[in-house]
Amino acid sequence: MGNVTDTVKRSIKLGGLRSLYRGYGIVLMSTVPSTALYFLSVEISKKFVPGDNDAMTKQFFSGVMAQFVAGFVFTPRDVIKERVQTQDILPKHLRRYSSSFDAVKQIIKTEGILGMYKGFWQTFSMWGMYGGLYLVLYNEIKNFSRIHSYEVKGHESSRTILGSSILAAALSAALTNPLDVIKLNYQVNREKDTFYNLTKQLFKSNGPTVITRGIMARILWVCPRTAIAWSIYEYVMMFVTVYDK
């Protein structure tokens, strides 16, 4: 927790309290459509991936496919958000963006529309793996909890859904943190260099322990948003199932 606290203090010192909310505009605008697209993709993917609904392979590949589709919204959001958030560590004369929307204009102007998708495959490799692991872990933990709590399948309690979601999100976030560190380093870097060279330089400058950087912050960020989103999703699906009957 010390590293998270130190980062917060440093951010406030460099950019004031407002620095904690850099990129808030683009996150606010993209969260609803990207989340809706993700859950829609989960449901559609489950129809195309063969096997029983509780099979680990079906859960994993459904999660991967859903993240691939949602990545077309997630990636531009991440590029913009991360560029705006990380510029506080730069000298004032090198800070290019006054807001999220200014970042959109400048990135498209200087790098083209593909600049908004910088690191798409790196983003997908990270979130795809996260999505696959999360669905497998969430389903297994939820089923285990449901059985031992004597609950009816499809009508799990809030405690079961929330607890399963938080634990699955924490484990998935920790396991995919190395991919997130590498992806972030590539996306925020403005040098026109290859992914391989930038990653090599990252490890050369920081050592192998760099892959654990920000792991606690990532868990603290992922868990609540995932728990809220999945709780809403589960209860909507319960309602739809009852209504269809």
Side-chain angles (χ1 to χ4, degrees):
M1 286 295 289
N3 287 337
V4 176
T5 305
D6 292 342
T7 301
V8 171
K9 288 179 179 178
R10 186 185 179 198
S11 296
I12 294 174
K13 183 179 179 180
L14 291 171
L17 191 62
R18 291 181 60 186
S19 65
L20 298 179
Y21 294 90
R22 300 275 191 226
Y24 179 75
I26 195 66
V27 170
L28 187 65
M29 286 186 63
S30 65
T31 293
V32 172
S34 60
T35 303
L37 183 61
Y38 168 74
F39 283 117
L40 176 64
S41 301
V42 168
E43 287 303 308
I44 294 175
S45 297
K46 286 180 179 179
K47 297 182 186 298
F48 286 96
V49 179
D52 183 75
N53 279 337
D54 285 333
M56 289 188 182
T57 51
K58 183 162 189 169
Q59 294 291 331
F60 182 81
F61 285 110
S62 295
V64 171
M65 290 169 67
Q67 288 290 352
F68 175 75
V69 175
F72 287 95
V73 178
F74 283 142
T75 304
R77 180 199 68 181
D78 284 352
V79 169
I80 297 162
K81 173 177 67 71
E82 289 158 4
R83 293 278 186 95
V84 172
Q85 287 176 337
T86 57
Q87 67 176 356
D88 280 334
I89 64 175
L90 300 173
K92 286 187 177 181
H93 69 280
L94 293 178
R95 298 177 191 177
R96 302 180 183 180
Y97 316 120
S98 58
S99 66
S100 297
F101 304 104
D102 180 52
V104 173
K105 291 190 293 184
Q106 290 203 46
I107 290 171
I108 292 175
K109 182 179 179 181
T110 58
E111 302 174 43
I113 193 66
L114 290 179
M116 301 285 285
Y117 286 91
K118 184 175 183 179
F120 175 84
W121 292 109
Q122 288 79 13
T123 299
F124 170 61
S125 69
M126 186 272 291
W127 282 114
M129 183 61 69
Y130 171 87
L133 286 172
Y134 174 80
L135 276 187
V136 170
L137 291 170
Y138 174 69
N139 196 55
E140 292 298 312
I141 295 169
K142 185 178 71 170
N143 285 340
F144 178 85
S145 179
R146 171 179 56 80
I147 292 170
H148 286 78
S149 300
Y150 303 101
E151 296 174 352
V152 179
K153 187 173 183 178
H155 296 278
E156 291 83 3
S157 65
S158 300
R159 181 180 63 183
T160 295
I161 293 172
L162 277 172
S164 302
S165 181
I166 290 171
L167 183 55
L171 290 171
S172 301
L175 290 170
T176 56
N177 192 71
L179 295 173
D180 190 37
V181 171
I182 294 169
K183 184 266 300 184
L184 176 61
N185 176 67
Y186 180 66
Q187 284 185 319
V188 301
N189 205 303
R190 293 167 185 160
E191 296 178 20
K192 292 185 177 181
D193 205 343
T194 64
F195 172 72
Y196 173 79
N197 287 338
L198 290 172
T199 303
K200 184 179 178 181
Q201 183 59 42
L202 173 69
F203 281 96
K204 184 178 179 180
S205 302
N206 300 278
T209 58
V210 71
I211 61 173
T212 63
R213 183 178 293 175
I215 190 170
M216 186 56 66
R218 177 168 161 77
I219 290 172
L220 292 174
W221 170 64
V222 166
C223 285
R225 66 190 285 268
T226 303
I228 293 169
W230 273 88
S231 295
I232 294 172
Y233 166 75
E234 289 281 21
Y235 281 108
V236 168
M237 293 305 295
M238 287 181 194
F239 174 79
V240 170
T241 303
V242 172
Y243 183 78
D244 283 347
K245 291 180 179 179

